[in-house]
Amino acid sequence: MNGTFPRERLLRLAVAGTLGAWLLVLAACPGGHAEEVRYTFVAHLSAPAPPAVSPNAAAAAVHDSLVTATLERDVRTLAAPEMRGRLRGTDDNGRARAYIVSRLRAAGLAPLFGDSFEQPTYVEPGDNVARVRHGTNVGAVLAAEARDAEWIVLAAHYDHLGVVGGAIHPGADDNASSVALLLALGDALGRVRPRLPRHVVLLFPDAEEPPDIRTERMGSSWFWRHPPLPAERLYLAIVLDLMGGRASPEMQAAGLGDALFVLGAEASRSLADFTRALPSSDGVAPVFLSLPMIEAMPYVPNRRFARSDYHGLREHLGRPFVFLSTGRAETYHTERDTADTVDYAKLARVTRWVGVLAMQAAEGSAPLEWRDFTADARADARTLLRMSSGIEASARFPWPLRRALVADRRMVEGLLRRWDAGAAPTPETYRALQLASTRLQAAQWRPGGWYFALW
Ligand SMILES: [Zn+2]
């Protein structure tokens, strides 16, 4: 996941104590796309959930044959000090890439880009200017029998922040956790070799992190613009970021220690129904949220800020996708995001859940639709109230922040009452919900961050 509060140095200034510096943070945040945000409010997530389906044969086989012992080994390898944070364009990044390729080859998967597991990416500065090499994506495929079959893709970026201010940022949760998950899934696919009606693509994009996030320089943006399979045949993309962080004390108090956030499913009724009817899996509680609920920061009205590799897909392909994350831990984008802090038992559980999701998608019969700029405000309000139910009992937050979080909670309760009584959400009231969601995430990322009370 990219930085919600990416200007780390500016943030430190704010911590040091001036409101002025904090305003600077807001002003300095990257521009992103300046499109006017007008959501259509839907009820795809708040409608009664369809009954859960039973796993198809491939899902059951992959679920049962997943070997989760590789997860910790792979995270420890990718987040080792020798990898020095896997910064795009460095030899360190290249060593991580070579490791991923060797794992995919050993799994018996086919290279995705002709005879290569690697896809060079470029910056395209415009006409008459030579394009400049930027990064390298990695990809493998388990092919369906029909060459022109539809396809699904699972994407987990492998780059991270490198060495910042002399400190290695290992990027264990961000995003070695998701890479390890896909590698374990690749092993299982190679062993089981299910006969599927769709190609299954495992993609490891480069250049997801700042300063590339939300730009055409992202490795995934290049991939979405230059897919090795026809874009219109993409059935579903599954984007993973931060899959192994430990749940905060507040989330645990709220009974959400096993939460796996599923974002983007609100984009159509068919996509919402598909994801909500997935077979249940032990120790994983999918929590559905509209994607806009994590895209309100920085505080710039009428903007949204994509948080991961779905950015270019949304901009260029408009195909169905879901974004999965266990959420941002306190170690997020710090030198403390080490392999020791990852919750491997949880990572193993979500790996099985994602394996089932992938196989259900590989055989899904319902056409999936996707529509941009949708949100389910009532479902989001309910989820937010669930997530914040442990706030008042928590002693971790300094009083201004705690007061703001409690006030947010009251405000969301009021909104939900009005919406349940028949009032329609408006851009303004939904914006208030988004900011409450962002503050809640920020508080759990930086529990000492009194300045988050100032929004
Ligand atoms: Zn990141």
Side-chain angles (χ1 to χ4, degrees), residues 1-3 157 160 174 208-210 241 332-333:
M1 202 179 277
N2 90 88
H157 78 86
H160 193 58
D174 184 8
E208 188 270 356
E209 295 286 4
D241 212 340
Y332 173 74
H333 280 201

Side-chain angles (χ1 to χ4, degrees), residues 4-5 11 22 297 400-401 404-405 408 435 438-455:
T4 295
F5 316 99
L11 196 53
W22 177 240
M297 184 66 198
L401 179 56
L405 291 167
D408 283 347
L435 290 174
T438 304
R439 174 149 44 212
L440 183 61
Q441 296 170 64
Q444 291 176 85
W445 173 55
R446 288 274 188 278
W450 56 267
Y451 38 83
F452 293 134
L454 301 176
W455 303 348

